[in-house]
Amino acid sequence: MKKQFKLGVIGCGFNSTAILRGVVLSDFIREKKIIVSDKDESKLDNIEYLGVKTTLDNRYVAQNSEYLILAVNEKNFKETIKELEGIRPEKVISVICGISKNEIKRIISRIYHIKT
């Protein structure tokens, strides 16, 4: 099934904002094909100038995006993944600092019951 958005981003901190600026300003992906979520509405207000769609709903982003960037901070990672339980994103990119690739794979596979 075709997804509504090409790129979804969960977390709107420094790293994801830099990525979004690069993607939008280079016209790599049109802003109307990008959706961003964060629990802090003021962070979403800070990227309003980019013209991307924003939401407070992480599940909506994961369900409706072809590529999903996880950009939450380390302490919120497990909570965010549990919130997405039952949704199996096709392509996940992580820019989370402080958690190894193997740890991310382990947590995701346990929650989604995927064998790695």
Side-chain angles (χ1 to χ4, degrees):
M1 182 172 107
K2 187 169 170 136
K3 303 286 185 164
Q4 182 178 357
F5 299 98
K6 184 77 169 174
L7 179 64
V9 180
I10 296 178
C12 191
F14 181 79
N15 289 336
S16 61
T17 299
I19 291 167
L20 285 166
R21 271 198 317 266
V23 168
V24 171
L25 298 178
S26 70
D27 209 26
F28 182 68
I29 300 174
R30 292 185 321 211
E31 58 276 358
K32 70 179 187 176
K33 299 301 281 175
I34 301 171
I35 186 165
V36 182
S37 66
D38 198 284
K39 297 296 182 184
D40 182 347
E41 198 164 357
S42 68
K43 289 183 178 182
L44 297 173
D45 292 342
N46 289 336
I47 61 164
E48 189 176 273
Y49 74 96
L50 292 172
V52 299
K53 180 167 175 48
T54 60
T55 180
L56 299 171
D57 188 347
N58 293 337
R59 288 184 63 81
Y60 181 80
V61 172
Q63 289 171 321
N64 292 289
S65 301
E66 183 179 344
Y67 292 88
L68 180 64
I69 295 179
L70 294 176
V72 297
N73 75 35
E74 178 184 354
K75 67 182 177 185
N76 296 329
F77 174 67
K78 287 182 185 178
E79 175 187 328
T80 300
I81 292 299
K82 284 187 182 201
E83 183 180 334
L84 303 180
E85 193 164 4
I87 301 169
R88 292 184 71 170
E90 294 175 37
K91 300 161 190 131
V92 178
I93 302 162
S94 171
V95 294
I96 301 169
C97 299
I99 301 177
S100 72
K101 178 176 80 171
N102 288 335
E103 179 70 4
I104 291 170
K105 286 170 94 175
R106 185 185 67 72
I107 292 168
I108 289 175
S109 65
R110 187 180 73 227
I111 290 172
Y112 295 120
H113 311 289
I114 301 169
K115 294 183 180 179
T116 56

